[in-house]
Amino acid sequence: PEAITVAELANRMAERVADVVKALMQSGIMATQNQSIDADTAELVIEEFGHRVTRVSDADVEDVIASVEDKEEDLLPRPPVITIMGHVDHGKTSLLDAIRQTSVTSGEAGGITQHIGAYQVTTKDGQVLSFLDTPGHAAFTSMRSRGAQVTDIVVLVVAADDAVMPQTVEAISHAKAANVPMIVAINKIDKPSANPTKVRTDLLQHEVIVEEMSGEVQDVEVSAQTGQGLDQLLEAIALQAEILELKANPNRAAEGAVIEAQLDVGRGPVATVLVQKGTLKQGDIFVVGEQYGKVRALINDKGERVKEAGPSVPVEVLGLNGTPEAGDVLNVTSTEAQAREIAEYRAHAAKEKRAAAGAATTLDQLLQKA
Ligand code: GTP
Ligand code: MG
């Protein structure tokens, strides 16, 4: 879209609609909350509110909105979000399970039943890490195409007995395109047929030069089965996270990304959301993609109900009016009318886009036949 409503712009900046209307008025633009303004005007307003704008493309307002940033002084350190990626059966889930077992405090051990594909662990050093177990490459790609980032670090799992495979290559290109640092976990090192050197040389062909090969990408030999190397892997992650100096503003209306969502028979639509900015609270009204709702309950990765979730925390969100898609962005709004309006605006825009695409195809077909 080349335009955005005043209400949505206000929502994305976490500013009051009335204040945005006033700012526009002071610039000589009369617009009510439901009226649309173009990308250039939006950018001016955003800057006026002290937010920084990095524009990805000229025309697309979504790009402008997606890049509204918090003020530096409002930012506080947040845990890193690590995505485990790699080829089928190379041990992604096993590795994550092993990390959780070595990291969770004894009281929690054995109590891991929930599987939402996103977990927080606290290391022995007390560092909190958020892990995503390959949130379907779809979510990753979809987030990236919108200019948003779900992950801070990619752990690329490569089985030492199998080396680099098609999905390994895919994961490398995902990480590179998203400009996310990578750590290579050479897994299944316990196997007699393990050949970590082959993994390292294979990776060279894809321009991944690990430290062992005098490159800069950290590589760690691990075994999800025996637990070998897990501490070193966590250290590598901690080191990388430290370099990134990750921060977010916890004191604002929440924004997050849908990792996965489904229609649950008993609970209705449920979305696993990774909170990225602000704090999501029970009772919050939100819009997520083309859906909206009010947070009825928040459930953490241990299956416990929680009252709120801050930056980098994955939670299940209940209280949606429909099922969103992986990669959809969740924004807390001030009123339900606003949430509904934005959701409907998006649904309408998406429908028009589909119709336009459909019309174009028909026209193409007609021209081809003529
Ligand atoms: P998908 O989710 O299907 O892509 O697989 P995955 O990458 O999550 O692999 P998963 O953790 O399911 O492991 C695949 C198989 O490898 C399982 O049978 C594991 O028991 C085995 N496995 C995983 N890690 C190790 C390891 O370090 N050593 C050995 N010997 N086997 C392992
Ligand atoms: Mg798995």
Side-chain angles (χ1 to χ4, degrees):
E2 284 169 34
I4 178 175
T5 65
V6 173
E8 186 172 356
L9 179 64
N11 159 44
R12 292 297 187 107
M13 292 193 294
E15 299 286 354
R16 286 175 44 209
V17 177
D19 292 339
V20 176
V21 171
K22 207 164 104 190
L24 280 164
M25 227 166 9
Q26 276 157 4
S27 318
I29 300 158
M30 305 299 257
T32 63
Q33 62 164 338
N34 298 333
Q35 274 173 338
S36 293
I37 54 173
D38 62 22
D40 289 323
T41 313
E43 187 168 334
L44 281 176
V45 174
I46 291 166
E47 276 168 355
E48 203 159 305
F49 277 87
H51 300 284
R52 211 145 44 84
V53 179
T54 12
R55 227 153 129 172
V56 187
S57 82
D58 258 0
D60 209 323
V61 159
E62 283 289 336
D63 289 337
V64 177
I65 307 159
S67 60
V68 172
E69 288 173 36
D70 283 291
K71 293 172 195 168
E72 188 63 37
E73 67 259 32
D74 294 334
L75 301 178
L76 293 176
R78 64 166 177 86
V81 178
I82 303 115
T83 302
I84 313 267
M85 297 185 107
H87 194 70
V88 172
D89 275 355
H90 277 198
K92 299 178 291 293
T93 305
S94 304
L95 197 59
L96 189 45
D97 284 348
I99 288 171
R100 296 181 76 207
Q101 262 150 39
T102 61
S103 307
V104 289
T105 54
S106 52
E108 289 164 344
I112 307 153
T113 44
Q114 206 78 6
H115 184 99
I116 61 171
Y119 310 96
Q120 268 206 326
V121 304
T122 306
T123 66
K124 286 168 189 155
D125 306 333
Q127 199 183 10
V128 179
L129 310 171
S130 297
F131 281 97
L132 304 181
D133 181 12
T134 312
H137 290 217
F140 201 74
T141 312
S142 146
M143 289 294 298
R144 214 186 64 222
S145 68
R146 294 169 204 202
Q149 203 101 282
V150 243
T151 192
D152 303 306
I153 297 167
V154 165
V155 168
L156 181 70
V157 179
V158 190
D161 63 339
D162 204 21
V164 170
M165 297 300 278
Q167 276 173 280
T168 317
V169 179
E170 213 175 276
I172 293 169
S173 54
H174 274 303
K176 283 193 171 169
N179 204 15
V180 172
M182 203 159 48
I183 294 168
V184 177
I186 304 175
N187 191 33
K188 307 198 187 185
I189 202 71
D190 61 286
K191 284 201 162 185
S193 55
N195 187 351
T197 309
K198 181 168 188 315
V199 173
R200 294 185 177 101
T201 46
D202 271 9
L203 286 172
L204 278 180
Q205 286 167 14
H206 300 279
E207 280 142 52
V208 177
I209 312 166
V210 297
E211 284 182 340
E212 274 279 313
M213 308 291 269
S214 307
E216 299 200 327
V217 178
Q218 297 192 82
D219 58 318
V220 187
E221 293 181 5
V222 297
S223 166
Q225 202 162 78
T226 67
Q228 183 190 329
L230 293 185
D231 285 342
Q232 284 96 308
L233 179 60
L234 290 175
E235 271 169 37
I237 292 169
L239 183 68
Q240 186 61 65
E242 207 173 303
I243 294 167
L244 294 173
E245 291 190 66
L246 303 162
K247 286 177 181 173
N249 175 7
N251 302 309
R252 52 162 280 177
E255 183 176 313
V258 175
I259 303 304
E260 54 190 18
Q262 70 275 331
L263 187 60
D264 197 292
V265 180
R267 304 184 295 169
V270 180
T272 301
V273 173
L274 175 76
V275 177
Q276 297 183 290
K277 295 171 180 174
T279 299
L280 186 61
K281 300 180 180 113
Q282 204 175 311
D284 274 351
I285 296 159
F286 61 88
V287 55
V288 54
E290 297 171 25
Q291 316 298 335
Y292 65 97
K294 182 174 180 171
V295 179
R296 196 171 71 227
L298 293 172
I299 298 160
N300 72 9
D301 57 345
K302 292 168 194 78
E304 303 156 347
R305 275 185 78 147
V306 289
K307 288 233 147 54
E308 53 177 51
S312 301
V313 177
V315 273
E316 275 191 325
V317 178
L318 275 67
L320 294 127
N321 77 323
T323 313
E325 284 170 38
D328 276 346
V329 175
L330 178 145
N331 284 100
V332 166
T333 61
S334 40
T335 67
E336 189 179 319
Q338 196 187 3
R340 191 180 340 111
E341 186 187 300
I342 297 169
E344 282 167 2
Y345 166 82
R346 286 179 182 164
H348 180 74
K351 202 172 148 193
E352 287 204 328
K353 205 169 163 183
R354 279 194 296 273
T361 338
T362 336
L363 193 61
D364 271 355
Q365 286 163 349
L366 279 174
L367 288 172
Q368 262 163 21
K369 279 200 185 122

